Amino acid sequence: VQLQASGGGLVQVGGSLTLSCVTSGRPFRLLDMDWYRQTPGNEREEVAYITTSGRTHYEDSVKGRFTISRDNAKNTLYLQMNNLRPNDTAVYYCAATEYSPAGTRRGEWWGQGTLVTVSS
């Protein structure tokens, strides 16, 4: 599975960005999808995920500001980020996980990161 993330950039406090992650190599509809972020010296943290059924979950600090979504027809994952704050500055990564019907993890794949910088 290949994941290609894009959409990062420089934005001012309070601004918005939309990240995209295009996947290939496995049927996108079978993949649970995640957005993670990482800053220098810190561990990668999960920002949001969306399951194959469309169930979503958000890290507390982004609730109400970020929206994760997926377009199975376009094999694409999105992260709409609004009201951005300086501590949202990070490299953002998309990830995909496929599970068997029995719940066994079949595989996990990561895209390259895209840098989001929020200036104050």
Side-chain angles (χ1 to χ4, degrees):
V1 177
Q2 294 186 334
L3 294 82
Q4 181 71 41
S6 62
L10 175 64
V11 63
Q12 292 187 334
V13 170
S16 298
L17 280 176
T18 300
L19 306 183
S20 300
C21 176
V22 179
T23 70
S24 61
R26 290 294 294 155
F28 184 68
R29 70 186 187 281
L30 300 181
L31 303 173
D32 287 346
M33 300 297 299
D34 298 79
W35 285 104
Y36 286 79
R37 64 187 178 187
Q38 188 172 26
T39 54
N42 293 308
E43 293 187 357
R44 197 171 293 187
E45 68 168 351
E46 185 176 50
V47 175
Y49 71 71
I50 184 166
T51 67
T52 56
S53 63
R55 180 170 57 89
T56 59
H57 176 80
Y58 298 90
E59 191 269 328
D60 285 346
S61 71
V62 307
K63 284 180 180 178
R65 301 187 298 121
F66 290 10
T67 302
I68 189 171
S69 62
R70 63 192 297 158
D71 186 334
N72 289 347
K74 295 183 178 180
N75 299 331
T76 303
L77 174 73
Y78 301 99
L79 186 67
Q80 173 67 45
M81 305 185 294
N82 297 325
N83 192 20
L84 283 160
R85 304 167 180 170
N87 60 3
D88 293 319
T89 296
V91 178
Y92 284 72
Y93 299 88
C94 55
T97 307
E98 183 177 354
Y99 293 93
S100 72
T104 304
R105 182 181 298 181
R106 284 177 169 166
E108 182 179 78
W109 304 273
W110 291 83
Q112 92 296 352
T114 184
L115 176 63
V116 172
T117 304
V118 184
S119 65
S120 55

